[in-house]
Amino acid sequence: MRTLIKDTLSEVGKTLTIKGWINSIRSYGKLVFADIRDRSGLLQVVGGKDLGALKLESVVEISGTIRSRDAKYFNDKLLTGKVEMEVKDLKLLSPAAELPFDVHQPELNVSLPVLLDYRTLSFRHPKVQAIFKVQEVVIDSFRRALKAKDFFEFQSPAIISSVPEGGADVFKVKYFDYEVYLSQSPQLYKSLLVSAFERVFSVNKIFRAEPSVTTRHLTEAISLDAEFGFIDSWLEVKDMAEYTIKFILTEVADKCQAELALFNVTVPAVPDHIPFIKLREAQQIIYDRTGRDCRQEKDPSPEDEREICKWAKETYQSDLVFMTHYPTKTRPFYTYPDDANPKYNQGFDLFGRGIEWLTGGRRIHDYATIMEHVKEWGIDPQNIELYLQSLRYGMPPLGGFAFGAERITMQILGLANVREASLFPRDMERVDTRLSAQNKKAFPSKTDLHQKLIKFLDDNKTVYKHLEHEETKTSEDSAKARGTKLSQGAKALVMFADDKPVLIVLSAAQKLDNAAFKKQFKVKDLKMADAQEVEKISSVIPGAVPPFGNLFNVPTYVDNALLKETEIAFNAGTRKASVIMKPTDFVSLVNPIIGDYAV
């Protein structure tokens, strides 16, 4: 019978069998000490040369006698630090190959791509395991919080027949002789189920074909969704969301003390009531605090999210803050317009430690009103017929919300990248392994980069100017053709940082300070791509590259000086057309890495 390592403490003097991985080996001549690891902990074993001949991470079965350690050799860092096993019989169940990096150090000193390339091995590190133990509690406590409020759990389909709201960020799937899509959200399904079950929730995978290489985006994510009926106000929805996140954070604080300690963090601070503020009020506060004018923007930029979280922390000692009442026409057709001012809706987002955690709000439940919105938003009713049935045959006033499980985990633990909080992250560059390493022919693009850019801007309802002009070959020529200042030009340089392609963007009136860039972003080697490399990476010739590295799958770096301009201008995938837009919109769409590296 196998004994778990944690249970050996009370078995001194007995002969037991343990099974696990070799976590460390220390040889002292004929005497060999090893730490054996199983799911419950570590145990030191003492054996001979046959033990010393094994490699780290090999899987073994060991039988031996549990004995007390000499007091001077107690290890207070281990649960089993006062006992050890004297090896009687050793069986090698599975040998391990040479490890690509040392997984037994307190910190994994490898880059995130390497960590993901060897995902099987990285899972064995205590800090990586801790991430997903926290995430397990997040998801489980979400379930228990809502079950305590009489919510019914359902599973939403991943394949949908149409994309009611349009948009380019959906994955198309060949489905027999038809074209279908991977679901971006269970929203319409959870809403229609309210008409039958009244209170529902789901733990779902959602899919977003966002052309984005950022620290906060994934193409496949876990969405924690809830919806309920018979509400009197959108405030009830906000309050239910607040109850749920407080329940989650309390459970994490209670059940994940060891995991939080590994990262030297505490759960976000939350007062008795999470503060909430309207979008326009928040933008005025940001303007007053920073001088950055975002007061007419439809959504907060990442920089705005960070600033309003700073304000909430300083003003209310809260790491969380709700932002409410977004422009109605910029939100989904089913979001309920505010009675006092229908230009704004009764929707809200929850931001935590500088990033969005949740989105929610009240939904339209009246059939006549929803049909007006369907027409106004240009939606084909046939594409949402199943959803419309629920309103046609009686729907109570309703609302709901959705959390991102990976983002919550990321922000609780202070992780630098959301990929660290995904067991098997999917993004533009990776599906288990790096797509570029699979030697598969890339799917041919159906549109050129200029068309792709314009469609991307239109799909995101971006305000911009599109100009056609004579071919320009210099930044000065481009500024003259556009009628803009040279400093407003967004010069996009395709370069290699430690042999990885990047897009470095700065004002056309400035030059790149290589040394400053390398120092700021810890880059050892930085070199310019040649003309052939530029075309291979971006699909366009030098001088035509727009500052949207997310459209051709490379990270984008932007110098701060450019973002201080009232407008920025750039060649839009061709030397014969330009786009002029607000830098705040640009940052919101690209979510670039911002720094100071131009002179």
Side-chain angles (χ1 to χ4, degrees):
M1 291 284 292
R2 177 192 183 190
T3 300
L4 285 176
I5 282 170
K6 69 179 178 64
D7 296 328
T8 61
L9 271 171
S10 59
E11 303 295 329
V12 174
K14 294 184 180 180
T15 298
L16 307 173
T17 298
I18 63 171
K19 299 178 182 181
W21 291 263
I22 297 177
N23 198 74
S24 67
I25 296 177
R26 304 170 296 282
S27 296
Y28 301 94
K30 294 182 179 180
L31 202 60
V32 177
F33 294 85
D35 288 335
I36 307 302
R37 182 185 78 247
D38 71 9
R39 71 179 187 269
S40 69
L42 291 171
L43 177 67
Q44 178 173 282
V45 301
V46 186
K49 291 184 178 180
D50 54 345
L51 179 62
L54 299 179
K55 291 184 176 180
L56 296 180
E57 291 304 306
S58 293
V59 183
V60 293
E61 176 183 319
I62 299 177
S63 297
T65 303
I66 301 298
R67 66 191 187 190
S68 296
R69 292 198 202 186
D70 190 299
K72 63 183 177 182
Y73 296 120
F74 282 175
N75 184 350
D76 294 334
K77 295 180 180 179
L78 288 182
L79 175 67
T80 59
K82 294 183 179 181
V83 299
E84 61 188 11
M85 173 182 278
E86 183 181 357
V87 177
K88 302 293 185 184
D89 184 55
L90 169 66
K91 292 181 182 178
L92 176 62
L93 301 181
S94 178
E98 198 71 33
L99 302 182
F101 53 84
D102 190 351
V103 75
H104 305 102
Q105 296 299 314
E107 300 291 337
L108 279 172
N109 294 315
V110 295
S111 66
L112 180 58
V114 172
L115 202 69
L116 298 178
D117 286 344
Y118 293 95
R119 199 56 166 150
T120 300
L121 187 59
S122 69
F123 281 146
R124 303 182 188 187
H125 193 274
K127 287 191 74 171
V128 176
Q129 291 184 1
I131 294 170
F132 299 104
K133 289 178 181 178
V134 169
Q135 191 169 100
E136 180 193 26
V137 172
V138 168
I139 294 172
D140 180 62
S141 55
F142 171 79
R143 279 193 166 103
R144 289 189 294 110
L146 293 172
K147 282 183 177 293
K149 296 292 186 181
D150 202 27
F151 278 68
F152 168 78
E153 182 173 6
F154 77 100
Q155 284 71 46
S156 187
I159 298 173
I160 57 176
S161 61
S162 62
V163 187
E165 297 170 72
D169 54 347
V170 292
F171 289 108
K172 296 179 181 179
V173 178
K174 186 179 184 300
Y175 190 78
F176 302 105
D177 294 329
Y178 302 92
E179 184 176 84
V180 295
Y181 310 88
L182 296 183
S183 175
Q184 296 172 289
S185 165
Q187 177 58 52
L188 298 188
Y189 292 101
K190 67 177 181 175
S191 290
L192 71 86
L193 285 173
V194 168
S195 70
F197 295 96
E198 192 174 323
R199 293 185 164 204
V200 298
F201 76 92
S202 69
V203 177
N204 264 22
K205 284 295 184 75
I206 60 170
F207 305 89
R208 301 284 174 88
E210 295 173 310
S212 186
V213 183
T214 74
T215 59
R216 56 165 65 185
H217 288 92
L218 294 167
T219 55
E220 179 182 317
I222 302 169
S223 184
L224 310 178
D225 278 79
E227 200 86 3
F228 61 109
F230 295 101
I231 65 171
D232 293 320
S233 164
W234 70 274
L235 292 169
E236 289 182 56
V237 187
K238 178 192 71 67
D239 290 346
M240 185 68 78
E242 179 171 332
Y243 151 77
T244 304
I245 194 61
K246 283 183 175 179
F247 188 100
I248 290 171
L249 294 177
T250 300
E251 290 294 290
V252 170
D254 180 53
K255 296 182 176 179
C256 300
Q257 293 180 26
E259 289 76 19
L260 295 170
L262 274 177
F263 287 87
N264 194 29
V265 296
T266 58
V267 298
V270 183
D272 290 340
H273 296 288
I274 297 174
F276 65 96
I277 185 171
K278 292 182 178 180
L279 171 70
R280 295 302 185 219
E281 294 170 351
Q283 290 170 333
Q284 183 63 48
I285 288 171
I286 292 168
Y287 178 72
D288 292 341
R289 287 168 62 91
T290 69
R292 189 175 65 254
D293 195 352
C294 57
R295 290 175 292 181
Q296 296 303 314
E297 302 301 324
K298 61 183 181 181
D299 278 304
S301 68
E303 197 172 1
D304 296 337
E305 294 175 8
R306 290 188 288 269
E307 189 61 39
I308 206 64
C309 284
K310 288 180 185 177
W311 168 81
K313 184 70 170 178
E314 294 167 9
T315 308
Y316 296 99
Q317 292 72 55
S318 176
D319 281 320
L320 303 180
V321 58
F322 283 105
M323 194 178 295
T324 74
H325 292 78
Y326 291 83
T328 299
K329 293 302 292 288
T330 66
R331 286 282 165 137
F333 70 96
Y334 47 75
T335 309
Y336 198 97
D338 190 58
D339 296 321
N341 187 353
K343 285 174 56 180
Y344 297 94
N345 61 44
Q346 294 182 354
F348 55 81
D349 291 335
L350 176 67
F351 299 100
R353 290 180 172 171
I355 195 172
E356 179 192 316
W357 288 24
L358 164 151
T359 187
R362 185 177 178 181
R363 327 296 188 192
I364 296 170
H365 67 281
D366 175 68
Y367 180 75
T369 305
I370 201 72
M371 290 307 294
E372 290 176 8
H373 278 233
V374 165
K375 183 177 180 180
E376 196 171 348
W377 265 251
I379 296 169
D380 184 349
Q382 286 298 115
N383 289 341
I384 54 170
E385 171 55 26
L386 199 65
Y387 168 70
L388 292 176
Q389 281 181 17
S390 63
L391 281 79
R392 188 181 298 124
Y393 301 127
M395 173 72 79
L398 76 162
F401 50 86
F403 292 95
E406 291 91 351
R407 282 196 182 180
I408 292 178
T409 308
M410 171 188 177
Q411 294 304 92
I412 288 175
L413 294 176
L415 305 178
N417 195 306
V418 73
R419 287 154 187 76
E420 296 179 70
S422 174
L423 282 166
F424 305 103
R426 271 81 171 110
D427 57 30
M428 291 180 67
E429 299 173 339
R430 181 181 298 274
V431 176
D432 287 339
T433 58
R434 300 186 206 195
L435 296 172
S436 59
Q438 294 183 9
N439 295 320
K440 292 182 178 180
K441 185 177 179 181
F443 193 79
S445 175
K446 294 182 180 179
T447 59
D448 64 26
L449 188 57
H450 174 257
Q451 294 171 321
K452 190 173 183 180
L453 171 64
I454 298 305
K455 189 174 188 303
F456 180 61
L457 296 176
D458 289 341
D459 287 341
N460 284 279
K461 299 181 174 64
T462 308
V463 177
Y464 66 94
K465 301 172 189 173
H466 181 262
L467 306 175
E468 294 185 1
H469 47 68
E470 294 295 320
E471 182 175 6
T472 59
K473 295 184 179 181
T474 68
S475 297
E476 290 78 8
D477 290 343
S478 296
K480 186 177 179 180
R482 300 170 190 143
T484 58
K485 296 185 295 184
L486 182 63
S487 60
Q488 292 178 301
K491 181 164 56 178
L493 307 175
V494 179
M495 303 189 74
F496 289 94
D498 293 335
D499 296 324
K500 296 178 182 178
V502 296
L503 190 68
I504 299 178
V505 182
L506 65 159
S507 168
Q510 294 184 293
K511 294 182 179 180
L512 173 65
D513 184 336
N514 282 40
F517 185 93
K518 289 160 68 175
K519 181 179 180 181
Q520 186 168 353
F521 299 109
K522 296 184 174 67
V523 173
K524 294 180 180 178
D525 182 52
L526 185 66
K527 64 179 181 179
M528 188 78 69
D530 62 31
Q532 286 183 323
E533 290 168 333
V534 169
E535 193 163 358
K536 181 179 179 181
I537 292 167
S538 69
S539 78
V540 296
I541 61 175
V545 181
F548 284 72
N550 51 334
L551 295 184
F552 45 89
N553 198 21
V554 299
T556 304
Y557 293 79
V558 177
D559 183 74
N560 252 318
L562 177 66
L563 301 180
K564 294 177 181 177
E565 298 289 336
T566 55
E567 290 183 319
I568 62 172
F570 49 87
N571 281 354
T574 169
R575 290 176 175 174
K576 295 183 178 182
S578 293
V579 162
I580 302 174
M581 63 188 297
K582 291 182 179 180
T584 48
D585 284 339
F586 166 72
V587 169
S588 178
L589 293 172
V590 178
N591 197 14
I593 304 162
I594 300 172
D596 295 287
Y597 50 77
V599 292

